[in-house]
Amino acid sequence: MIIGIDPSMTNTGLCILSQDGQFLGADQIASDPTAPIHIRCRGIAHNILAVCSRHEDCAWGVFCEEPGGDLKGNAGDLRALFWFIVDELCGWEHAVVNVYSISAKGLTKFITGNGNSKAGDKAYAISKEWMYLLPAEFHATDRTKPKGLMRWADLWDALALCNVGRQYLQLEEGTTAQQEALQKVKRIV
């Protein structure tokens, strides 16, 4: 099973695919912005495990966007969230868990072919490339509606992370830019 996680203090994206690319589950997990940071991080991590643990007794390849760079203000809390998620998943005893990370720039390059693309361009590329893998409830195709393509942006990034995993584990081939981005994937645990 391949799990993609896009950590965010507002909406953490989660997508789960089988090794052959079949959809198994997805969610955007929100947290209470008024709660202390450790409570928010623990709650998000626990909710991720609750969704993932429906698929026991198998190997999990977890691909997570790793926060990096000069994170200021509340964005600095993303590192804590990242490690809460890793700790929660690695503590699950009913699955073999391998965790990999990729930088935001590496993920963007994997999705668009360019590491400096805008969020809307990422969402558009994901909708064109992998939308068929998700149920219709997670589709948004009209750029003119409020939030338009950005409605499920965190979940879609998680879907892209699943596809990073599929290519990294050599279950699927990709473009030259995608192969270059895969060179930046790091195994965490």
Side-chain angles (χ1 to χ4, degrees), residues 38-51:
H38 69 284
I39 301 295
R40 290 176 75 183
C41 291
R42 183 167 290 131
I44 291 168
H46 179 75
N47 286 334
I48 288 171
L49 181 60
V51 174

Side-chain angles (χ1 to χ4, degrees), residues 8-27:
S8 168
M9 297 308 291
T10 53
N11 281 309
T12 292
L14 172 66
C15 187
I16 306 170
L17 299 178
S18 66
Q19 287 189 351
D20 63 358
Q22 186 175 32
F23 176 81
L24 298 175
D27 202 357

Side-chain angles (χ1 to χ4, degrees), residues 5 52 93 95 104 108 121-122 149 161 163 173:
I5 301 172
C52 295
E93 56 193 45
T108 300
D121 295 334
K122 278 178 36 180
L149 288 174
L161 285 157
N163 284 287
E173 291 186 22

